[in-house]
Amino acid sequence: MTARTFSVPYGNGEIDFRLKRRQRRTLAISVDPDGSVEVIAPIDAPLGKVLEKVRKRASWIRRQQRFFIQFQPRTPDRQYVGGETHLYLGRQYKLKIVQHIQQRVKLYRGQLTVQSLRPRNADVTRELVEQWYRDRAREKFRERLALCQLRFPNPAEFVPASLTVMQLRQRWGSMTPRRKLILNRLLIRASVEAIDYVITHELCHMRYSNHGQAFFQLLDSVMPDWQGRKLKLERQLA
Ligand SMILES: [Zn+2]
């Protein structure tokens, strides 16, 4: 099965996508962790119809690429006051803010407890919580990366040159040509299954830089349930 690349205009730019044809009745659109878009269309669907459907789903595609609103730390409902919920590894935790001389954040009894010198100052709370997320992301991603490497029959060939955790605007992760793995730090709010999927997808790029058949054969072999994990990740936005 061959894939061809097309694009449709959207906003000030355009959305590029790979088009695959399959024996099926409906059209399916999905967005990869690295922001690339795949469209699977029925074999006999006219190209004009396919382009029209992709155009209609353009804002959804952009939203997928940009990120899940609930993962964004600055959405309007995030006031950084006690009682509101925050995501960590796919679970919601209630924020609890207490005054304390030692400033720190910890998960305790199902709550995200913030010890702050100034518990009524939401900016201070936000900074403490964000710093905690950054620290947790660095530690957790390193731990998951080591486990994901073991999925491969030859783990030593899937060791990235480095791991960088940063905020990416339109994707979960990427693997640079110099074999540097970059992960979106907002991913720490998603479940471990989703984190592993993103990491494993990117590790497969150490062998195949494109999304060809060989790439997906490798991904299938090391993570047979990747499609379910991906779907779960996408549903959190729907
Ligand atoms: Zn990819």
Side-chain angles (χ1 to χ4, degrees), residues 18 32-36 173 201-202 205 209-211 215:
R18 303 185 299 282
D32 273 349
D34 41 27
S36 64
H201 177 109
E202 297 308 332
H205 278 311
S209 59
N210 60 17
H211 292 112
F215 172 89

Side-chain angles (χ1 to χ4, degrees), residues 81-86 92-97 107-108 110-113:
V81 294
E84 72 180 8
T85 57
H86 287 254
Q92 300 274 4
Y93 291 93
K94 259 204 177 118
L95 196 62
K96 184 184 177 188
I97 306 158
L107 277 185
Y108 182 66
Q111 288 183 318
L112 188 60
T113 303

Side-chain angles (χ1 to χ4, degrees), residues 15-69:
I15 289 173
D16 300 320
F17 65 92
R18 303 185 299 282
L19 177 60
K20 288 183 180 175
R21 300 281 189 171
R22 260 186 216 160
Q23 202 77 50
R24 55 178 291 152
R25 290 194 306 164
T26 54
L27 181 134
I29 301 175
S30 66
V31 180
D32 273 349
D34 41 27
S36 64
V37 181
E38 182 177 271
V39 175
I40 297 170
I43 285 169
D44 56 354
L47 182 60
K49 272 249 157 69
V50 172
L51 293 173
E52 188 191 316
K53 286 208 165 154
V54 174
R55 247 194 313 269
K56 276 187 185 155
R57 298 289 301 281
S59 73
W60 176 85
I61 292 169
R62 270 290 186 263
R63 217 157 63 227
Q64 292 279 352
Q65 289 177 324
R66 280 229 181 89
F67 228 71
F68 305 169
I69 300 298

Side-chain angles (χ1 to χ4, degrees), residues 164-178:
T164 306
V165 180
M166 58 190 288
Q167 194 152 336
L168 301 168
R169 273 195 62 218
Q170 299 199 351
R171 50 199 194 173
W172 293 106
S174 71
M175 179 66 72
T176 75
R178 289 171 171 266

